[in-house]
Amino acid sequence: MAWVIDVLKQRRLLEIVNRTPARSVALIFETSQRSDKLLMEYFGQLHLSEDGKEIPVHQFLMPKDASEPGLEVADFVINPAGRYARHRFFGNAGFPPDFEAVFHKCDRVLTSFICVENVELSDPSETVSPP
């Protein structure tokens, strides 16, 4: 989780914010008994700025049973992403149909995907700890 959160914070969110003149950002995470503590520990409070001006970031946890449309859309998007990750893990080439439908059939401005294939340490004798 730590490595994925680091990519999300350092690359993905900045990519999205840089596409628009954002005045504020709201991040809503689906609450989970298994992940809430880790999410708070590894994600922490996010700070963003554009042209030297701070962009307010609001972070929330929301239960699945809230039936929030944004969370439902997030599930719709993350399931094909997870299927693609398993697809690659098992050595399969190409993309599963649902992944293609979500990530390849829309305008590139509206979709993107980062595939983290490995994490390398600069010194293999170092102890691995999350960022």
Side-chain angles (χ1 to χ4, degrees), residues 77-91:
V77 172
I78 200 64
N79 284 317
R83 195 168 291 98
Y84 174 64
R86 288 185 297 280
H87 183 81
R88 286 192 54 123
F89 179 78
F90 290 112

Side-chain angles (χ1 to χ4, degrees), residues 80-121:
R83 195 168 291 98
Y84 174 64
R86 288 185 297 280
H87 183 81
R88 286 192 54 123
F89 179 78
F90 290 112
N92 297 311
F95 301 97
D98 58 346
F99 183 89
E100 282 198 23
V102 171
F103 291 96
H104 293 164
K105 305 283 185 194
C106 298
D107 186 328
R108 292 289 298 153
V109 172
L110 302 174
T111 64
S112 66
F113 180 80
I114 296 173
C115 184
V116 178
E117 295 183 346
N118 65 352
V119 176
E120 295 181 17
L121 299 174

Side-chain angles (χ1 to χ4, degrees), residues 10-90:
Q10 301 301 322
R11 293 195 49 203
R12 190 71 185 101
L13 290 173
L14 293 175
E15 176 187 329
I16 293 167
V17 169
N18 286 333
R19 290 181 182 179
T20 66
R23 290 179 285 176
S24 67
V25 173
L27 299 171
I28 302 171
F29 298 96
E30 185 176 310
T31 189
S32 161
Q33 191 173 23
R34 292 184 311 166
S35 65
D36 287 354
K37 183 180 176 204
L38 292 171
L39 180 64
M40 298 302 225
E41 180 180 342
Y42 294 132
F43 202 92
Q45 182 60 42
L46 180 64
H47 297 279
L48 295 173
S49 63
E50 186 173 46
D51 297 328
K53 185 178 178 190
E54 183 87 12
I55 299 172
V57 178
H58 310 282
Q59 296 171 210
F60 306 95
L61 292 173
M62 184 178 288
K64 176 74 173 164
D65 62 8
S67 298
E68 163 59 37
L71 285 181
E72 299 301 324
V73 171
D75 278 347
F76 176 80
V77 172
I78 200 64
N79 284 317
R83 195 168 291 98
Y84 174 64
R86 288 185 297 280
H87 183 81
R88 286 192 54 123
F89 179 78
F90 290 112

